[in-house]
Amino acid sequence: MTAPGDSPLSRRRLLQALSVGGIASLAGCGLFTESEPPSDSSPAPTPTAAPSAATSGGPADIPFDRTVNLVDDLGASTDGSEPINSVLSDALERGTRIVVPGGTYALDGPIDVSNRRVGFVGDGDAVFRLPEGFTGKFLRVNDVDAFLFRGIDVDMRGDCRGGMQVRCPTKFHIEDVEYVGRGGLTGQAFNLGVTQPRGTGRLVNVRVPHGGHPDRYDSPNGTPGNGRIGVWAGLEHEGTLRVEQCEFSEFGNNGMYTSRNLGKVQVLDSHFENNNVSSIRLSGKGSYAQGCTVTIDFRRYNGPALTDTEQGFNPRAIMIDGANATEGVPRQKPGAEIRNCAIRLKHIPQGSVVQSAIEQNPAARSLRVRDTLIEIDLERTPAVRRARPGSGPIAWRPRRDVPPKPHWTRLENVTVTGTASKGSAIELNGADGSELVACQVKQPAGARNGVSLSGCENVAVDKGNYVTGGYPFVIESLPEGGCSLQIRNPPQLTPKGSESESGSVHQLGPVESGDTCAVTRELLEGTGSSTVRITGIRDGNVFGTTGN
């Protein structure tokens, strides 16, 4: 849908990679090449033709009573010379499918849909062009069920801050859409919600490669957290939102901010690049990211200069939130997951810091990550971080009470690589009951540690391989009377030069197969130390140091 050269990651190429080899092919097929920054010079939109309207009326469960051709029946201009709002106003009756032939159609304001079973279906290279400086939603669908928007691109050029607002009780379907041009400083590209628990809304093959200004978390007037969002799903969302084979990149306030609701959000086979705050933000039970790629590499960015990276600039890949945004609203149930994803944090503007690749923030409950590759080249940035539950109030969000348990992080077959030489690959704080199963940490540079645990009880390690420049495991703030670290089946530990940095290496205790408690507070009695550092497991014993 974009002209050649507009982006090295075209939707066609993304979909081909996903269909041929899934996420594994994405990780090595050149989609992450450092020498190909995406172009920001958006040409006139030239979308790929959608399937014929005769065969693409939409999902079978959205039946239409009549079909109206925007040009043949309504007399709309295909060259963008006359706005189409007036000709549409009387045509959007209940059960109407509007066929939009190839062409450019100018809008002079919002399109309001107030009847159920209404659809817009492109038949050719169809484009809706927003007016210069447009702000707000160009399409507003509120409390109207069974809505379809398919095969129509949106021309955002001209300092536009427009987007779609679609809130349906049980179903909507948005497919084959590209936003051409760079979004503005505020607003949302998509404001979505399925308002009944059993409903489902789908976003399929939607591409917004230049979402906005990735350094602008705040609005132009300084309002915190009012920068532009890719996909927003707020408290109105109680059903299931599925985002499939999409791209959302270069947003200043989350690529997908979809955590503050009681519904489910499922993100599949999609790509995200250089989004501030997070690319995917989820909450709890029934929500997951699967088969997605997330890249943070600002060498590939060639949009407007980044001038505001000191305030609110923290481009994490995936955040688990779990917060309820309003007093009196129940929290989401625990159970968010990340599956089969590839995450790369490669380069950020000088002087910036990224908190983590995968972040369980203080309001989050549990998280399971499995079969996922995380590459970290950024210093002091963990691949996975569990923030201490309830910690860290911020001025514009003072409510940071401790969320109900569980607070664990469970990593299964997770691989962490990259050149980072400081900090820890995995950092868990107050994450009682966490598990690390068959994980591979391969960060041998400098003093990079493997896993840091603080204030955790009953964290279990089962097999795996930890090759680190620093210590494979660092445990501090050990709980009174409890077990900090259990060894089920001993992992392979290979520190590269830290064994004599602090204290002397000695035997800490025996380890056997099963839930053997390897580290307790008793190890520190009489040492004056507050930290245990594990250097190896051999001959049935755990070795390490107890220096501060």
Side-chain angles (χ1 to χ4, degrees):
M1 280 194 171
T2 8
D6 188 45
S7 170
L9 182 63
S10 69
R11 188 168 72 229
R12 294 295 176 199
R13 189 177 176 199
L14 173 62
L15 295 180
Q16 288 170 357
L18 289 168
S19 62
V20 172
I23 201 68
S25 68
L26 282 176
C29 70
L31 295 178
F32 299 105
T33 56
E34 299 172 4
S35 60
E36 299 180 1
S39 171
D40 189 34
S41 56
S42 301
T46 54
T48 302
S52 167
T55 60
S56 65
D61 59 349
I62 304 182
F64 296 104
D65 301 326
R66 66 184 191 128
T67 297
V68 175
N69 189 292
L70 183 59
V71 175
D72 296 341
D73 298 325
L74 301 181
S77 169
T78 62
D79 61 5
S81 59
E82 295 292 336
I84 63 171
N85 297 67
S86 60
V87 300
L88 279 175
S89 60
D90 295 329
L92 300 178
E93 299 177 2
R94 178 173 176 169
T96 300
R97 174 178 57 191
I98 305 291
V99 173
V100 183
T104 297
Y105 302 88
L107 302 180
D108 60 4
I111 299 172
D112 288 303
V113 177
S114 56
N115 289 301
R116 69 189 310 266
R117 292 190 294 112
V118 168
F120 292 85
V121 179
D123 184 14
D125 300 345
V127 179
F128 282 178
R129 189 181 69 208
L130 304 189
E132 183 86 16
F134 181 84
T135 298
K137 302 298 183 286
F138 70 88
L139 180 65
R140 299 186 297 206
V141 182
N142 288 305
D143 299 321
V144 177
D145 212 6
F147 175 76
L148 171 66
F149 191 93
R150 187 173 188 173
I152 304 169
D153 289 347
V154 181
D155 189 346
M156 295 280 297
R157 293 172 297 169
D159 191 28
C160 291
R161 304 179 188 181
M164 294 188 193
Q165 180 169 295
V166 180
R167 297 174 183 169
C168 296
T170 67
K171 64 174 72 75
F172 66 77
H173 189 98
I174 302 170
E175 184 173 2
D176 287 337
V177 177
E178 180 169 349
Y179 281 23
V180 178
R182 182 168 297 278
L185 296 173
T186 60
Q188 307 108 18
F190 292 89
N191 185 324
L192 305 176
V194 180
T195 59
Q196 293 186 8
R198 294 186 178 181
T200 299
R202 297 181 67 205
L203 212 63
V204 183
N205 297 353
V206 172
R207 185 167 182 257
V208 188
H210 305 301
H213 298 255
D215 59 329
R216 299 301 295 270
Y217 174 65
D218 299 340
S219 69
N221 64 8
T223 302
N226 201 31
R228 188 160 174 81
I229 298 169
V231 178
W232 164 261
L235 285 174
E236 300 84 359
H237 176 60
E238 297 187 12
T240 299
L241 172 63
R242 289 179 62 89
V243 177
E244 308 168 49
Q245 299 175 339
C246 294
E247 178 185 357
F248 294 96
S249 298
E250 299 179 3
F251 285 91
N253 185 11
N254 296 275
M256 288 186 58
Y257 196 158
T258 52
S259 60
R260 296 185 177 272
N261 57 70
L262 297 179
K264 301 173 183 178
V265 178
Q266 300 167 352
V267 191
L268 299 93
D269 301 332
S270 295
H271 178 70
F272 302 82
E273 187 161 331
N274 292 336
N275 292 297
N276 189 25
V277 185
S278 70
S279 283
I280 306 171
R281 189 162 175 168
L282 304 174
S283 183
K285 184 178 181 180
S287 293
Y288 57 81
Q290 177 174 307
C292 295
T293 59
V294 183
T295 297
I296 304 297
D297 188 349
F298 279 89
R299 294 169 299 188
R300 294 168 50 83
Y301 170 77
N302 67 354
L306 303 176
T307 60
D308 195 17
T309 58
E310 296 181 3
Q311 175 70 24
F313 186 74
N314 193 357
R316 294 153 291 199
I318 302 177
M319 183 188 297
I320 306 304
D321 189 347
N324 51 321
T326 304
E327 295 283 352
V329 176
R331 291 184 183 273
Q332 176 64 279
K333 294 180 181 180
E337 296 191 14
I338 299 170
R339 315 166 183 163
N340 301 351
C341 291
I343 299 170
R344 289 189 165 189
L345 272 61
K346 302 290 290 181
H347 183 270
I348 56 174
Q350 186 174 1
S352 302
V353 177
V354 178
Q355 198 169 34
S356 60
I358 297 175
E359 175 77 5
Q360 272 175 279
N361 76 14
R365 301 180 73 182
S366 66
L367 169 65
R368 186 186 302 273
V369 186
R370 63 184 186 184
D371 304 322
T372 289
L373 168 67
I374 310 170
E375 181 180 359
I376 304 290
D377 291 348
L378 308 182
E379 299 297 354
R380 302 189 184 282
T381 298
V384 180
R385 177 179 181 267
R386 159 83 253 191
R388 192 173 304 282
S391 63
I394 52 181
W396 58 90
R397 194 172 300 130
R399 187 183 181 201
R400 282 294 179 93
D401 53 329
V402 177
K405 290 186 176 183
H407 300 151
W408 48 255
T409 307
R410 295 184 178 170
L411 310 181
E412 304 168 13
N413 192 31
V414 172
T415 298
V416 181
T417 66
T419 63
S421 62
K422 299 175 182 178
S424 298
I426 298 168
E427 182 180 316
L428 305 181
N429 301 280
D432 296 351
S434 293
E435 297 179 355
L436 294 88
V437 179
C439 292
Q440 309 286 321
V441 174
K442 300 178 181 180
Q443 294 208 282
R448 181 78 162 178
N449 296 319
V451 180
S452 293
L453 307 177
S454 178
C456 298
E457 189 170 354
N458 296 324
V459 175
V461 178
D462 192 350
K463 301 180 181 178
N465 187 13
Y466 297 81
V467 180
T468 60
Y471 294 93
F473 287 84
V474 178
I475 303 103
E476 59 185 3
S477 300
L478 281 69
E480 293 281 356
C483 180
S484 284
L485 185 66
Q486 301 172 353
I487 303 295
R488 291 179 179 168
N489 293 288
Q492 182 175 348
L493 308 183
T494 310
K496 293 295 187 179
S498 61
E499 292 193 3
S500 61
E501 284 186 6
S502 178
S504 58
V505 174
H506 58 276
Q507 180 177 323
L508 299 176
V511 59
E512 302 175 358
S513 294
D515 290 335
T516 301
C517 185
V519 177
T520 68
R521 193 176 180 85
E522 294 176 356
L523 292 172
L524 300 176
E525 292 181 358
T527 67
S529 171
S530 61
T531 304
V532 174
R533 297 177 176 88
I534 294 178
T535 58
I537 299 175
R538 54 184 180 273
D539 302 325
N541 291 286
V542 178
F543 291 83
T545 75
T546 55
N548 287 326

